[in-house]
Amino acid sequence: MFYLIDKGSLATVTGELSRLYIWTGWIAFIVIIPLALTSMDYFVRKMGTWWKWLQRWTYAAAVLTLIHWAALHDWGGIAPAMTHFGPLIALEAYRVWYWYLRPGRRTVAA
Ligand code: HEM
């Protein structure tokens, strides 16, 4: 909303769509809308396994947001972006280790 108010005209907003740091933001935003709309318990029950499939699109939105942020100001934002994405990457690395690499983990066959 602030971006739209700041630009002040539809022509300026559409004119900027081809910029990497803008279209990545818009696509991340569009991806997030159905996730937000279906985040309550009612939809978790109604959608069954599709709910998890849909929520996993959050990974695509996260990558797009990283590019969006890093590409701002001619890629000057990679360091600040990484201060926020570093913890996310660490959490994901922990999950991969816990589920697939941890010594003594239970396998399907076991
Ligand atoms: C709806 C489409 C979007 C547009 C048009 C847009 C546009 C912008 C612009 C112009 C800036 C630079 C502000 C400045 O420093 O002058 C910015 C910064 C940023 N945007 Fe977006 N954005 C969008 C969506 C998103 C989404 C969905 C996310 C995350 C979920 C996001 C996260 C950020 C972050 C983290 C920054 C950096 C803020 C900072 O400098 O600390 N944006 N965005």
Side-chain angles (χ1 to χ4, degrees), residues 1 3-4 6-7 13 16-17 21-32 61-62 64-66 68-70 72-73 77 80-81 84-85:
M1 286 305 295
Y3 172 78
L4 296 179
D6 183 46
K7 295 301 161 186
V13 169
E16 287 194 345
L17 275 180
Y21 71 89
I22 292 295
W23 66 256
T24 46
W26 277 110
I27 295 180
F29 179 63
I30 290 164
V31 167
I32 287 168
L64 284 164
T65 304
L66 175 62
H68 169 64
W69 195 349
L72 279 170
H73 313 300
H84 292 261
F85 276 84

Side-chain angles (χ1 to χ4, degrees), residues 34 46 50 53:
K46 275 274 171 218
W50 282 107
W53 176 85

Side-chain angles (χ1 to χ4, degrees), residues 7-100:
K7 295 301 161 186
S9 86
L10 194 62
T12 315
V13 169
T14 50
E16 287 194 345
L17 275 180
S18 62
R19 296 181 188 174
L20 176 70
Y21 71 89
I22 292 295
W23 66 256
T24 46
W26 277 110
I27 295 180
F29 179 63
I30 290 164
V31 167
I32 287 168
I33 292 171
L35 306 190
L37 292 178
T38 58
S39 63
M40 57 283 269
D41 289 348
Y42 171 81
F43 285 103
V44 179
R45 283 193 301 272
K46 275 274 171 218
M47 291 173 67
T49 52
W50 282 107
W51 188 84
K52 195 143 198 171
W53 176 85
L54 186 63
Q55 292 298 317
R56 285 196 171 126
W57 280 89
T58 197
Y59 293 110
V63 171
L64 284 164
T65 304
L66 175 62
I67 299 168
H68 169 64
W69 195 349
L72 279 170
H73 313 300
D74 292 329
W75 294 91
I78 189 77
M82 285 316 291
T83 59
H84 292 261
F85 276 84
L88 270 182
I89 292 166
L91 279 171
E92 279 305 309
Y94 173 76
R95 284 182 60 186
V96 169
W97 173 82
Y98 186 86
W99 289 109
Y100 302 107

